[in-house]
Amino acid sequence: MKADKEQVAKRLQEIRSRSNLSISEFGKRIDNTNKSTVNSWLRGIALPPREKLLRIAFLADTSVNWILWGDRLHESCDNCSSILSNGECLKCNLEIQKEMKNFLDLEDSKFLHITVKPDKEQVAKRLQEIRSRSYLSISEFGKKIGNVNKSTMNSYLRGIALPPRERLLRIAFLADTSVNWILWGDESPESCDNCSSILSNGECLNCLHERQDEMTNFFDMVDSNLFPMTQERKSLILQIISSEIEEIKSVHCYKV
């Protein structure tokens, strides 16, 4: 089912009117889109492409769904036309889950851009320090970071395994520290194997800048309701992406 161009045009005109923008100014806010193209949207001749819809939704503090469909409910996903299940598109959610796995996979060297892997025993010592400062038993520590069972927690605390990225984020939040410190402490590998920049706490901000942009776009996409999902799932995904973006911002890297 395709969106009604004339109805979309009315909502775009409403957004422009509320924003007190001329057609030219409206276009500039949306990636410097020229006046004739914006006019084609406002007259119902054409629909804005998806990336433009995302920017318009962000500008108007609304969702892509509202721009396309207004307050009318529809049964199929506007992204892939699959039938929705309880307001969610299972096919699109599967794609989002794949993206999230890429974001959270600690072993993804392209994401971390590290020349060496963290020392599990040193990480274990810092985790033990965090647990000690928090006055938590092993079981209580596990519950605080996503109901992790005691045997898994022991594998982290004994240096047998490294916590996955999502749990590292929870531990860092609990201890009011950074994932970088948990992984590297005060050590710093010398240079990035991807761009030769000096690394800070094992990560290269120069390389992560591009990843940050990708994640920000992903955040906007999820937040815009382009992929139908429950509010609970949406909130969790946005929280994780936000934490990752903040983690990247906390790293300091200087070009060689």
Side-chain angles (χ1 to χ4, degrees):
M1 180 170 59
K2 292 184 177 180
D4 186 314
K5 293 178 184 177
E6 291 185 1
Q7 293 302 314
V8 171
K10 288 181 181 179
R11 287 186 284 275
L12 292 177
Q13 289 165 0
E14 180 182 335
I15 289 171
R16 186 176 74 84
S17 176
R18 287 204 313 260
S19 304
N20 294 317
L21 297 172
S22 68
I23 295 176
S24 298
E25 291 170 334
F26 190 44
K28 286 180 181 178
R29 292 291 192 95
I30 314 165
D31 279 345
N32 291 316
T33 305
N34 61 56
K35 189 174 180 179
S36 62
T37 301
V38 174
N39 264 322
S40 71
W41 302 340
L42 296 173
R43 293 175 181 175
I45 299 170
L47 290 174
R50 185 173 303 156
E51 62 272 16
K52 306 290 187 184
L53 284 169
L54 285 167
R55 292 192 175 274
I56 295 170
F58 181 79
L59 171 66
D61 192 22
T62 187
S63 69
V64 171
N65 270 356
W66 182 82
I67 296 172
L68 291 176
W69 306 101
D71 298 320
R72 178 168 58 87
L73 294 176
H74 55 287
E75 295 182 351
S76 62
C77 174
D78 53 300
N79 181 61
C80 69
S81 300
S82 298
I83 300 298
L84 301 184
S85 174
N86 296 323
E88 291 193 310
C89 176
L90 301 182
K91 182 178 179 181
C92 289
N93 274 330
L94 181 61
E95 292 301 315
I96 289 178
Q97 288 174 22
K98 290 178 181 177
E99 286 292 330
M100 289 304 298
K101 184 179 184 301
N102 290 335
F103 286 146
L104 301 173
D105 189 355
L106 183 61
E107 298 302 322
D108 185 356
S109 60
K110 183 179 179 181
F111 171 63
L112 288 175
H113 293 293
I114 56 177
T115 54
V116 294
K117 291 184 178 180
D119 185 314
K120 293 178 183 178
E121 291 185 0
Q122 294 302 314
V123 171
K125 288 181 180 179
R126 288 186 283 275
L127 292 177
Q128 290 165 359
E129 180 183 334
I130 289 171
R131 185 175 74 86
S132 176
R133 288 205 311 260
S134 303
Y135 300 102
L136 296 170
S137 67
I138 295 176
S139 298
E140 290 170 336
F141 193 26
K143 287 180 182 178
K144 290 279 189 177
I145 60 170
N147 291 317
V148 180
N149 62 53
K150 189 173 181 179
S151 62
T152 301
M153 286 304 305
N154 270 320
S155 71
Y156 303 157
L157 296 170
R158 293 175 181 173
I160 298 170
L162 289 173
R165 189 83 178 172
E166 184 177 3
R167 286 174 184 163
L168 285 168
L169 285 165
R170 290 176 181 269
I171 295 169
F173 180 78
L174 172 67
D176 193 23
T177 186
S178 69
V179 171
N180 283 338
W181 181 82
I182 296 172
L183 291 176
W184 304 101
D186 299 321
E187 299 174 0
S188 177
E190 293 182 356
S191 63
C192 173
D193 56 343
N194 183 63
C195 72
S196 300
S197 294
I198 294 175
L199 300 183
S200 175
N201 297 327
E203 296 188 308
C204 174
L205 186 60
N206 187 52
C207 293
L208 287 176
H209 179 71
E210 182 178 347
R211 187 62 169 179
Q212 180 182 340
D213 289 342
E214 291 176 4
M215 293 172 70
T216 301
N217 290 335
F218 186 40
F219 181 100
D220 291 341
M221 180 177 67
V222 174
D223 194 35
S224 71
N225 293 327
L226 184 61
F227 296 124
M229 67 183 72
T230 63
Q231 188 61 40
E232 183 179 2
R233 187 196 302 272
K234 174 181 172 180
S235 297
L236 176 61
I237 291 174
L238 293 180
Q239 181 183 6
I240 293 172
I241 298 174
S242 296
S243 296
E244 286 285 346
I245 292 174
E246 288 304 312
E247 183 64 32
I248 290 174
K249 289 179 179 178
S250 73
V251 180
H252 301 283
C253 176
Y254 302 90
K255 190 73 177 176
V256 173

